[in-house]
Amino acid sequence: MYKILLVEDDEKLCDKLAKHLIRWGYEVIKIKNFEKIMDEFIQINPHLVLMDINLPYFDGFYWCYKIREFSKCPILFLSSRDQDMDIIMAMNSGGDDYITKPFSVEVLSAKIAAILRRTYAYTDQQMQTMSIGNAVFNLGDHTLKMNDIKLELTKNESRILHTMLLNKDKIVSRDKIMRALWDDDQFVNDNTLTVNINRLRKKLEELGLKDCIKTKKGEGYMMQ
């Protein structure tokens, strides 16, 4: 079941949307603390975000930028602001689509279904495997394979490798990796990250992929 996160401070609209989307078979979660939206986003790990622009503390553009620092989760803006510049800013901050209030819930449902289909149904088939040199990393079963050698990765090792490969040739901070490791109520501390990085390096070395994860002192790690 796809999880949709509602970042909307209009409780009446929020309840109406939640009721409608639940009928369409989605799990809907409403933001509780508008000052700590990122904390809830990380815990919920939604498949799609419906984002208002006018929010308490920070606007929707700000939170879209924050989400895009480590997630490709699709974001659909819902706003009464209808100026071209608002739409441009929404897209430039990482949004995937924009609907102006008032809107038809049927149109919204159709757009959500299209975005989810485009993001996940297609991606699941195309991005199931990623290459590292001559090795193949399988996201589906968390394995690394080269020729006849097949190694199993833990869930954390798999997420670290996935994050590093998505940011290949770029420095990835420890904070960004730890955020990628947070799953539901699981919290990964700094020491746990170090242990997992070292274990992943050893497994990569078993396939002859030595030193492909570089330590950038004071900055993080880089996959090369």
Side-chain angles (χ1 to χ4, degrees), residues 54-84:
N54 297 323
L55 297 168
Y57 304 106
F58 299 98
D59 63 24
F61 303 135
Y62 171 84
W63 292 116
C64 190
Y65 275 119
K66 298 299 289 183
I67 291 171
R68 283 289 171 265
E69 288 180 1
F70 67 95
S71 174
K72 294 184 177 180
C73 172
I75 299 172
L76 199 167
F77 277 89
L78 305 175
S79 178
S80 56
R81 291 163 59 164
D82 58 0
Q83 299 300 304
D84 287 348

Side-chain angles (χ1 to χ4, degrees), residues 144-198:
L144 266 175
K145 186 176 181 183
M146 181 185 284
N147 300 324
D148 295 329
I149 303 175
K150 186 175 183 179
L151 303 176
E152 292 187 2
L153 303 181
T154 64
K155 191 175 178 181
N156 281 349
E157 291 164 356
S158 183
R159 287 190 175 186
I160 292 171
L161 185 56
H162 187 207
T163 303
M164 298 299 299
L165 287 171
L166 289 176
N167 296 276
K168 195 175 180 183
D169 297 323
K170 298 177 184 174
I171 296 175
V172 185
S173 69
R174 291 177 65 86
D175 182 61
K176 185 171 183 175
I177 297 174
M178 282 194 283
R179 286 186 178 186
L181 292 177
W182 289 345
D183 181 22
D184 298 326
D185 59 349
Q186 181 185 3
F187 178 76
V188 177
N189 63 28
D190 207 58
N191 291 333
T192 304
L193 175 61
T194 300
V195 170
N196 278 276
I197 288 277
N198 290 336

